[in-house]
Amino acid sequence: MLCLKRLPFLVLLVLQTALANAQKPDFTARTISLPAEIADRNNQLSGLYLRNNQLLLLAESRLQEHAEAKMYALDLASVEAQLAQKSAELAYKKYVIQNLEQIRARIDSTGQHYEGLEAVTVLDDVAYFSIETATSSPYCYVIKGSVDDSQATITLDTHYLVPLAKPTLSNGAHIYNAGFEAMSSYGKRLLLLYEYNYFAHDNYAFALPNAAVMPDIPQLIPMQRLPFRVTDMVQEGKNRFAAINYFFNGADDSVYRPAPTDPNTRLVRPDTKYQNYCRLIRVYYKRNKVSWKPLFELPKEYMTYNWEGLAAYRGGYFLINDKYGPSNQSTLLYLQKK
């Protein structure tokens, strides 16, 4: 007969076991050898998206640094061949993004300051991008453009410019270097998560109910408080997404450090020093609210990369960093299901 006095202990044990299992990745980490043109650190790759037989890699396109506005497309068959050790060569092409300079001029003319492209998703033959702005700018933006595969171009619609107000701290201060880095389509809609979602006051995700049409005001979706950064997101099922949850140990990112008494502190400060930390989380958008739970931590050797892009593929995940990490260039990682 079950002792009722032991029930709380048993419940706690079950919860701890479930959490431990959620943190253990059932994947093999595989590094994919990128062509030198794509791996070049100056691209500062910032987003991934799977489209048809292509893996799209978005360059941050920092026009203020005279970078080219572009996105690369890896042929998935050649990626598969490399993973199977049948070939080391990756077939790819480059898509030129047109009209971004005009959109940048529109943004800067309002007193905002364009910094770069951060996330990409594609609906039919229309690509949507999120734009990050300087810390002092009150808004980030969503833009869209038509994809022409035959010409390898993406022509931006210069009339489509959706402002997203940056959430702020209680004193009105902006979060350093934060934008809407996580964006995913679901149906014909877009869901965007701000990079920082650990406000003491309410936290919100943003939704565009009909991505093709500029909304008067983006929809605010209540969101469960979430520590650390969110740097990309991908839909995996109905109302279900995966996202990168990342912590950088630098002093400039001190706003992302949980309080010493916060249980999350043990993840990023196991001893006396802060350490980089990265995990994937499961995100749910149900009953008009966003919630989450841990999926698994990345292997220790990949914790120091600044992972910026995520795509789900055959039960596993592709991840891309910008340029920060031991490789000093962009690294494409595939977490392959065992």
Side-chain angles (χ1 to χ4, degrees):
M1 183 175 181
L2 179 64
C3 177
L4 294 180
K5 291 182 178 180
R6 294 188 61 197
L7 189 57
F9 170 77
L10 292 174
V11 171
L12 178 61
L13 181 62
V14 169
L15 289 175
Q16 288 177 335
T17 302
L19 179 60
N21 289 337
Q23 294 290 328
K24 294 179 180 179
D26 192 23
F27 300 92
T28 300
R30 307 279 303 276
T31 301
I32 296 169
S33 179
L34 290 172
E37 178 185 348
I38 299 178
D40 185 345
R41 68 194 312 272
N42 294 314
N43 289 325
Q44 298 197 55
L45 298 176
S46 60
L48 291 179
Y49 187 77
L50 280 171
R51 174 179 179 257
N52 301 330
N53 63 343
Q54 299 174 322
L55 177 62
L56 304 180
L57 294 83
L58 176 65
E60 199 167 326
S61 306
R62 296 179 66 86
L63 302 180
Q64 68 277 22
E65 297 175 2
H66 308 291
E68 182 183 20
K70 62 189 174 185
M71 183 164 62
Y72 291 102
L74 295 180
D75 177 71
L76 276 175
S78 68
V79 174
E80 286 280 3
Q82 188 182 120
L83 289 171
Q85 298 182 336
K86 294 180 179 179
S87 172
E89 297 296 324
L90 291 184
Y92 70 95
K93 64 179 179 179
K94 180 178 72 176
Y95 285 78
V96 175
I97 301 175
Q98 301 175 332
N99 296 338
L100 185 57
E101 187 59 71
Q102 291 93 311
I103 289 176
R104 177 198 176 196
R106 279 190 63 189
I107 292 171
D108 290 358
S109 70
T110 64
Q112 314 295 307
H113 297 284
Y114 169 95
E115 284 204 335
L117 304 179
E118 289 292 346
V120 59
T121 190
V122 183
L123 292 173
D124 299 321
D125 290 324
V126 178
Y128 293 83
F129 304 95
S130 67
I131 289 179
E132 185 172 324
T133 54
T135 300
S136 59
S137 301
Y139 294 94
C140 289
Y141 297 88
V142 176
I143 59 176
K144 71 174 183 178
S146 300
V147 181
D148 186 330
D149 293 303
S150 63
Q151 299 297 318
T153 59
I154 301 171
T155 305
L156 298 177
D157 180 349
T158 56
H159 300 289
Y160 186 98
L161 186 63
V162 180
L164 303 175
K166 294 180 182 178
T168 60
L169 297 169
S170 299
N171 62 3
H174 290 129
I175 304 299
Y176 171 73
N177 196 32
F180 290 85
E181 294 207 2
M183 177 176 67
S184 179
S185 57
Y186 61 108
K188 299 297 182 181
R189 298 168 288 179
L190 296 182
L191 179 67
L192 297 103
L193 303 187
Y194 192 56
E195 199 165 351
Y196 180 90
N197 300 280
Y198 214 47
F199 295 104
H201 51 82
D202 293 336
N203 293 269
Y204 293 95
F206 283 58
L208 276 59
N210 182 356
V213 179
M214 283 184 56
D216 291 332
I217 301 176
Q219 182 182 358
L220 295 181
I221 312 295
M223 180 171 173
Q224 179 186 352
R225 198 168 182 234
L226 171 62
F228 320 135
R229 291 180 180 269
V230 181
T231 58
D232 205 9
M233 176 172 63
V234 60
Q235 185 182 23
E236 288 199 279
K238 184 178 180 182
N239 303 321
R240 181 168 55 87
F241 307 81
I244 301 171
N245 192 207
Y246 174 75
F247 174 82
F248 174 62
N249 65 2
D252 287 340
D253 278 25
S254 59
V255 69
Y256 292 92
R257 297 176 180 177
T261 56
D262 191 313
N264 293 291
T265 299
R266 65 178 179 81
L267 297 174
V268 298
R269 199 182 66 188
D271 44 41
T272 59
K273 294 182 180 180
Y274 286 99
Q275 298 180 8
N276 286 22
Y277 177 78
C278 188
R279 64 183 174 184
L280 295 191
I281 60 173
R282 172 74 65 221
V283 175
Y284 300 95
Y285 178 21
K286 295 180 179 179
R287 300 181 183 89
N288 200 40
K289 64 180 181 180
V290 173
S291 60
W292 65 277
K293 68 177 184 180
L295 271 180
F296 60 86
E297 297 175 343
L298 264 63
K300 186 176 181 179
E301 62 267 32
Y302 295 108
M303 287 286 191
T304 57
Y305 290 80
N306 185 38
W307 299 112
E308 292 254 321
L310 177 69
Y313 183 64
R314 295 191 174 181
Y317 300 93
F318 289 109
L319 292 99
I320 194 78
N321 72 315
D322 45 10
K323 62 180 179 180
Y324 298 106
S327 64
N328 199 33
Q329 63 180 11
S330 288
T331 297
L332 181 61
L333 184 70
Y334 181 54
L335 298 176
Q336 187 170 23
K337 190 76 172 178
K338 292 181 181 178

